[in-house]
Amino acid sequence: MTPSSTENASANGAAAPDAVRTVPSRPPFRVGPLSLVRRPLMVLVNLVMLAALFLVVCINIGRGDFPLSIPQVTEVLFGGGSRIDRFIVMDLRLPRSLTGLLVGMALGISGAVTQSISRNSLASPDILGITAGASAAAVALIVLGGGGTFVGILATVGLPLAALVGGVLTAVLIYTLAWKRGVEGFRLILVGIAINAMLTAAIGWLLISADINDVSRAQLWLNGSLNGADWSKVWPVLCALVLIGGITIISTFTLGALRLGDDNARSLGVRLQSGQATLLLASVALAAIATAAAGPIGFVALAAPQIALRILRTPGPPIIASGLMGGLLVVGSDLIARTILPVELPVGIVTSALGGPFLLYLLVRSNRKVSA
């Protein structure tokens, strides 16, 4: 376009090509120094998932030898109901459902963070071996008891901190071995799978060399079970979810920048190494504490972020929706394990049975993308 034609275009009110104005795709929302973007679909979907989660929890609480209807359970949860109903709901059944809910939310958030950092939909704490590291430390505590200096320390700090130490050490080892001028998602997964195999072998060795009574306890825990869950298991997971989950939600911008790649994240002002380390540590802590509370519940951290991503059609796994979906998967699987199946099974068996086909679907879909 010549200068004269540009002047004529300006005179006629037409904008020059270099003067095109950009319009935000979503309307902003500002409250004081806080600036957000309105996402009505995301808010609506999260509210629907929250309502569905409340409904599933009420159904799960109501099923048992002494059945209760949803209105009866709801009445007790809001402070009413008879004395026997309050005893059944608050003392016997609510801790189990809450433990499953909180463990599922912790695993869902942990999986969303791990998949965002690695930029790979197949990455999750159970695939990478972080859950196996937490399990190995917990099984060592259960099986070996107070024998040995290191195991004696684990016995002192208790099962949750033992699993946390095992998960953190495993994550550090995986991160170190996968480091090569940065962390690439594919290399991280390969290293994690190898570490997972070695830790699984170590767990098998511990079970073979242990006393039969300790083995039965550890084997039940390794299947991922909510049996015997009480309020003492609810509070540690709740505190971890509030504190560490809050950190991940606050770090949403950093997480979104990390999904764009290392160079783009640096150009956006993100401190790459400290950001990756902080978020990875948060993911490891959530997965380890969830594992300590209910055992290794497989495939929830893998499937929940991907299901939430497909529902909301977001560029990466959404944090809050992934947590809600994780809670739905665990509580729903516990409901299936207790009421639908002829024999009550640990919840981890049901989630693995449902998550295995989903993993195959992700593998086939990923393979088609590579072929295309």
Side-chain angles (χ1 to χ4, degrees):
M1 181 177 288
T2 61
S4 59
S5 59
T6 304
E7 293 175 0
N8 293 333
S10 301
N12 293 330
D18 295 337
V20 176
R21 293 186 300 173
T22 58
V23 179
S25 58
R26 297 187 181 96
F29 178 74
R30 185 181 297 275
V31 178
L34 182 63
S35 180
L36 302 173
V37 176
R38 294 180 184 176
R39 293 182 173 90
L41 177 61
M42 181 175 292
V43 174
L44 177 62
V45 171
N46 286 335
L47 290 177
V48 171
M49 292 174 62
L50 189 62
L53 186 56
F54 179 77
L55 178 62
V56 173
V57 168
C58 289
I59 295 174
N60 194 37
I61 292 174
R63 299 302 91 196
D65 295 333
F66 189 87
L68 297 173
S69 64
I70 294 178
Q72 286 177 302
V73 174
T74 305
E75 184 181 5
V76 173
L77 293 178
F78 284 97
S82 63
R83 183 176 180 181
I84 184 65
D85 290 349
R86 289 196 298 271
F87 173 74
I88 292 173
V89 172
M90 303 302 295
D91 295 338
L92 299 182
R93 298 180 183 173
L94 183 59
R96 175 178 182 137
S97 294
L98 278 183
T99 301
L101 166 65
L102 296 172
V103 164
M105 293 185 69
L107 291 175
I109 295 175
S110 177
V113 172
T114 306
Q115 292 174 6
S116 298
I117 292 176
S118 63
R119 299 187 294 277
N120 195 311
S121 60
L122 299 178
S124 67
D126 44 356
I127 299 294
L128 295 179
I130 296 171
T131 301
S135 300
V139 169
L141 178 62
I142 293 173
V143 170
L144 301 181
T149 304
F150 179 67
V151 180
I153 295 174
L154 294 184
T156 303
V157 299
L159 191 64
L161 287 182
L164 179 60
V165 170
V168 170
L169 292 178
T170 305
V172 171
L173 178 62
I174 294 171
Y175 193 87
T176 303
L177 294 177
W179 175 265
K180 186 179 180 182
R181 299 178 182 176
V183 175
E184 184 182 347
F186 187 70
R187 186 166 59 248
L188 185 70
I189 292 176
L190 291 179
V191 173
I193 291 175
I195 297 296
N196 189 21
M198 290 187 287
L199 288 171
T200 302
I203 293 172
W205 175 79
L206 287 171
L207 295 178
I208 291 174
S209 60
D211 181 77
I212 187 63
N213 296 320
D214 294 332
V215 170
S216 61
R217 259 195 321 138
Q219 193 62 52
L220 178 62
W221 183 85
L222 283 173
N223 286 325
S225 176
L226 297 175
N227 293 332
D230 53 19
W231 288 105
S232 64
K233 292 186 177 181
V234 172
W235 299 118
V237 187
L238 178 61
C239 294
L241 189 61
V242 171
L243 295 177
I244 305 175
I247 293 174
T248 59
I249 293 175
I250 294 173
S251 304
T252 302
F253 172 78
T254 302
L255 204 60
L258 292 175
R259 295 191 191 110
L260 302 176
D262 296 349
D263 294 336
N264 290 327
R266 289 192 187 95
S267 66
L268 292 173
V270 174
R271 295 180 178 178
L272 190 62
Q273 304 307 323
S274 61
Q276 284 182 340
T278 301
L279 288 169
L280 185 60
L281 181 61
S283 173
V284 171
L286 288 174
I289 293 174
T291 303
I297 300 178
F299 292 102
V300 174
L302 174 73
Q306 292 301 309
I307 296 174
L309 182 147
R310 282 159 175 75
I311 293 175
L312 289 173
R313 300 182 181 275
T314 53
I319 298 297
I320 297 177
S322 298
L324 294 175
M325 182 56 65
L328 270 173
L329 289 177
V330 174
V331 178
S333 297
D334 186 47
L335 179 62
I336 294 173
R338 291 197 310 112
T339 61
I340 296 179
L341 298 178
V343 179
E344 182 175 346
L345 297 175
V347 65
I349 296 179
V350 179
T351 58
S352 297
L354 297 176
F358 188 78
L359 175 60
L360 293 176
Y361 160 74
L362 290 179
L363 288 172
V364 171
R365 188 171 179 272
S366 179
N367 186 45
R368 287 179 178 175
K369 281 185 175 180
V370 172
S371 301

